[in-house]
Amino acid sequence: RHRLVQSPFIEQMQKLLLPNAEATFVTDDSDYAGQMMEVLLNEKRLLPKLPSPHYILNPEGYGVSFFSELWKKKGKNIYLLSFCKAGL
């Protein structure tokens, strides 16, 4: 699969982020959430904003989309990951 959140993307993204800037990632796929977590935790210049396990399951008040509503109706979970760039 062609997933956006992979090491080359994160390396480029962190170069553009200002110190202490936040990056939020959301998916309905548990395997992809795990892959994103692995990639993000391996990037030393990004720090998790959430306590372990570093994601919120089915976040309240995050926002809605056609697909988020569809997946919720089908009983799928939504994973929200939040990381910030380490301050200099």
Side-chain angles (χ1 to χ4, degrees):
R1 288 188 149 169
H2 298 286
R3 301 289 193 174
L4 178 64
V5 180
Q6 297 183 39
S7 294
F9 172 78
I10 297 302
E11 288 169 13
Q12 292 300 312
M13 183 196 76
Q14 67 80 22
K15 290 177 184 177
L16 298 172
L17 290 174
L18 296 174
N20 302 310
E22 184 175 338
T24 301
F25 305 88
V26 181
T27 184
D28 65 336
D29 186 297
S30 62
D31 290 337
Y32 189 35
Q35 177 191 331
M36 287 193 297
M37 186 66 63
E38 183 178 325
V39 169
L40 292 163
L41 288 173
N42 283 325
E43 176 52 63
K44 301 302 179 206
R45 292 161 289 216
L46 296 176
L47 305 172
K49 291 200 64 161
L50 301 167
S52 186
H54 309 300
Y55 64 83
I56 298 172
L57 194 59
N58 301 315
E60 293 288 326
Y62 171 70
V64 296
S65 70
F66 170 80
F67 287 106
S68 69
E69 291 299 307
L70 178 64
W71 299 143
K72 285 179 188 178
K73 287 178 185 173
K74 291 186 176 202
K76 292 190 83 169
N77 288 315
I78 305 296
Y79 300 82
L80 181 143
L81 296 73
S82 182
F83 282 72
C84 68
K85 184 172 181 177
L88 299 176

